[in-house]
Amino acid sequence: MSQERKDAAVAYWKANLRLLVSLLVVWFVVSFGFGILLVEPLNAIPLGGYKLGFWFAQQGSIFTFIVLIFVYTARMNQLDRKFDVHEE
């Protein structure tokens, strides 16, 4: 493997890991931060008849995870095309 291809592979995996870590941080903040640490302040805000802290603990982190799956898929498709490792 040429040095140029090795550099491209390293850059691809760095971009992949950067994306993965950033999405996991978002999920952690929403699920642990909003659902556990900040539940009391958020419970002061109603959302559809429920307390916002309760909603984040029960539904918000799940919805966020689903959205993050679609974001990850879209961004990985962009990275694959950028580094020319996409499927035909």
Side-chain angles (χ1 to χ4, degrees):
M1 183 183 285
S2 70
Q3 185 62 33
E4 188 175 290
R5 287 188 53 112
K6 286 180 185 178
D7 292 343
V10 168
Y12 174 76
W13 282 108
K14 281 185 179 181
N16 184 354
L17 290 176
R18 191 176 320 112
L19 172 63
L20 188 61
V21 167
S22 64
L23 294 178
L24 285 173
V25 166
V26 169
W27 189 32
F28 177 80
V29 167
V30 170
S31 62
F32 189 74
F34 293 167
I36 296 173
L37 296 178
L38 298 174
V39 71
E40 292 303 322
L42 290 174
N43 277 340
I45 303 168
L47 177 69
Y50 297 99
K51 297 175 180 178
L52 187 59
F54 173 78
W55 184 84
F56 268 113
Q58 299 302 314
Q59 303 295 329
S61 61
I62 296 170
F63 289 146
T64 302
F65 181 67
I66 292 170
V67 168
L68 290 178
I69 290 172
F70 287 103
V71 170
Y72 178 75
T73 302
R75 288 288 297 134
M76 280 307 298
N77 285 335
Q78 290 174 350
L79 281 176
D80 288 349
R81 284 190 293 279
K82 179 180 177 182
F83 288 97
D84 197 28
V85 293
H86 60 282
E87 297 176 356
E88 306 269 336

